[in-house]
Amino acid sequence: MTADQQYAETPTSGPAQMFPVDEDDVARLRTRLAGAAQQAGLLDVAYRTIDSPLGPLLLAATEHGLVRVAFEREGFADVLQALATRLSPRVLEAPRRLDAAAAQLEDYFAGRRRSFDLPLDHAMSTGFRRTVQRYLPRIGYGRTESYKEVAEHVGNARAVRAVGTACATNPLPVVVPCHRVVRSDGGLGGYLGGVEAKTLLLELERAA
């Protein structure tokens, strides 16, 4: 049997089987392309994924700073499409831009870090939501505030429901700690990453 006959009779044959490529080579090529795109000013949104106790997280950054942290349940493809639509279609997997964010998140989950020192890009939020999200890092590590207290602190005590919406649409969860906002009766309230993720984060901070 010739090689051509073997490929023709193999049901799974296709380009990947006929032209096998080493994964390390693909990774190096991606890195080179990302570096070339950045040098040429063609990279507007860089992204990477990391593992975490909450499951895989997608991190994305513009040249201004970290612009998105997404949970797997949100659908990474949908998140990237939203970034392309709202910010720029020039979105590329380029891990290096996100090395600092990845390292600080790793330290946070290991209990070695209590706050983040990263430039943030709030381009995915506007108006009152952005106001609330800018306030949230003032809630200290291991502490919580109610939605009502947050509404009071941002100057609109009657906007409790709007505070809930701002937390639910926070584009930078974990780094901007919306998980520290709970209901007045002690209930957890909702969370973009799911109640289990919110519980894990609060327990992590209480244990540190």
Side-chain angles (χ1 to χ4, degrees), residues 24-47:
D24 290 340
D25 290 338
V26 173
R28 282 192 287 272
L29 178 59
R30 284 177 175 166
T31 299
R32 287 175 53 193
L33 289 173
Q38 184 154 354
Q39 287 185 354
L42 300 176
L43 176 58
D44 292 335
V45 182
Y47 76 91

Side-chain angles (χ1 to χ4, degrees), residues 46-148:
Y47 76 91
R48 70 182 292 177
T49 57
I50 63 170
D51 293 327
S52 84
L54 307 178
L57 297 175
L58 182 143
L59 313 179
T62 66
E63 62 180 353
H64 302 297
L66 186 67
V67 73
R68 193 71 169 87
V69 177
F71 298 100
E72 188 175 32
R73 61 184 281 168
E74 298 179 70
F76 290 161
D78 292 339
V79 171
L80 292 172
Q81 182 59 55
L83 290 168
T85 300
R86 295 187 59 178
L87 300 181
S88 167
R90 298 193 297 196
V91 179
L92 187 65
E93 185 174 11
R96 287 186 179 175
R97 183 184 286 183
L98 292 144
D99 280 352
Q104 291 193 23
L105 281 163
E106 182 179 353
D107 285 346
Y108 169 81
F109 287 120
R112 297 189 295 266
R113 171 174 288 277
R114 297 192 170 201
S115 63
F116 293 93
D117 182 18
L118 296 167
L120 302 180
D121 184 341
H122 292 278
M124 297 296 284
S125 294
T126 59
F128 186 72
R129 293 182 185 182
R130 180 182 290 189
T131 298
V132 171
Q133 290 158 11
R134 284 182 176 274
Y135 168 78
L136 295 178
R138 298 184 190 180
I139 305 174
Y141 184 94
R143 295 181 55 246
T144 60
E145 288 188 7
S146 68
Y147 295 100
K148 183 174 183 294

